[in-house]
């Protein structure tokens, strides 16, 4: 976890404010991962597997999962959205930045291609459906609506929209804006 923390400390120019970050594996975990203040929970199998046991797409997924959850220590825990209708900003930003982080830490895989495969394509597929909706939901009032807001529109389309914004603004201006937002 140290490499991920160091990357985000430098990227956001805001040091991780807690003395440690724990990674806890949970058997039969229903989620890929979940951030908590000072702790990340993931499936037990992913948490205890050795590097040599993870390869190809699974290794990319694992690296990205950890980077996504560590990003939430800043973008989700340090600063969070006012209400659930903006969940796309928290999840989309963590999704986008996880590829930036993983690409910086691990030089053996070009994460740009995986970003296209894991975000752009699913976003297009989800957005063509009649059930599609804007990234920012208008009304989120019930527990069911909150649960339903954690979908490919929030993660993939959110990351895609933010990636397009980063492309238009430029990486430096985009990063400066993020740092100002978090400060």
């Amino acid at each position: 976890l140290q490499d991920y923390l160091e990357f985000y400390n430098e990227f956001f120019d805001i040091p991780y404010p807690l003395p440690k970050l724990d990674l806890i594996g949970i058997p039969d975990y229903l989620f890929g991962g979940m951030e908590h203040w000072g702790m990340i929970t993931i499936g037990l199998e992913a948490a205890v597997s050795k590097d040599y046991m993870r390869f190809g797409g699974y290794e990319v997924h694992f690296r990205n999962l950890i980077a996504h959850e560590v990003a939430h220590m800043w973008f989700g825990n340090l600063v969070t959205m006012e209400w659930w209708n903006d969940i796309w900003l928290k999840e989309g930003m963590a999704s986008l930045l996880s590829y930036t982080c993983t690409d910086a830490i691990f030089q053996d895989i070009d994460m740009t291609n995986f970003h296209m495969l894991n975000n752009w394509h699913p976003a297009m597929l989800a957005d063509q459906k009649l059930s599609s909706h804007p990234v920012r939901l208008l009304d989120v009032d019930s527990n069911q609506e909150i649960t339903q807001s954690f979908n490919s529109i929030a993660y993939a389309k959110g990351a895609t929209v933010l990636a397009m914004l980063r492309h238009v603004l430029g990486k430096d201006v985009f990063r400066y804006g993020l740092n100002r937002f978090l400060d």
Side-chain angles (χ1 to χ4, degrees):
L1 293 176
Q2 192 60 40
D3 289 342
Y4 297 94
L5 287 172
E6 287 174 9
F7 171 82
Y8 287 120
N9 280 339
E10 182 182 327
F11 186 84
F12 292 126
D13 198 25
I14 298 171
Y16 176 68
L18 300 177
K20 66 178 186 162
L21 177 61
D22 292 322
L23 178 66
I24 299 178
I26 299 176
D28 302 319
Y29 198 52
L30 297 175
F31 308 100
M34 180 77 66
E35 81 283 352
H36 313 274
W37 195 224
M39 176 176 68
I40 295 171
T41 52
I42 63 173
L44 182 62
E45 185 178 285
V48 298
S49 65
K50 304 289 185 213
D51 288 346
Y52 67 84
M53 296 171 66
R54 297 188 306 261
F55 56 89
Y58 182 72
E59 176 64 14
V60 170
H61 172 75
F62 178 78
R63 292 175 182 182
N64 219 43
L65 171 65
I66 300 301
H68 178 101
E69 300 307 335
V70 174
H72 279 312
M73 295 301 131
W74 284 264
F75 223 91
N77 291 334
L78 188 62
V79 174
T80 194
M81 71 278 176
E82 185 176 357
W83 190 242
W84 296 101
N85 57 343
D86 283 322
I87 196 70
W88 76 274
L89 188 55
K90 172 183 170 294
E91 295 301 343
M93 188 61 72
S95 294
L96 174 63
L97 294 179
S98 67
Y99 290 91
T100 305
C101 174
T102 305
D103 199 42
I105 294 173
F106 302 99
Q107 305 298 313
D108 58 339
I109 298 173
D110 178 7
M111 292 304 291
T112 304
N113 292 329
F114 284 97
H115 174 37
M116 294 291 289
L117 179 67
N118 295 331
N119 285 304
W120 289 77
H121 188 250
M124 298 280 194
L125 291 175
D127 216 19
Q128 72 182 355
K129 295 179 181 175
L130 293 175
S131 61
S132 181
H133 56 80
V135 288
R136 185 175 197 276
L137 299 171
L138 300 178
D139 296 312
V140 179
D141 298 317
S142 69
N143 288 341
Q144 181 180 4
E145 289 172 331
I146 291 169
T147 302
Q148 290 173 343
S149 68
F150 287 88
N151 58 33
S152 59
I153 297 292
Y155 289 83
K157 186 176 178 181
T160 300
V161 167
L162 291 166
M164 289 188 279
L165 181 63
R166 180 177 65 184
H167 179 75
V168 169
L169 295 174
K171 289 181 180 180
D172 293 337
V173 172
F174 183 77
R175 183 174 169 188
Y176 175 77
L178 288 180
N179 294 353
R180 292 289 308 256
F181 178 76
L182 290 171
D183 195 14

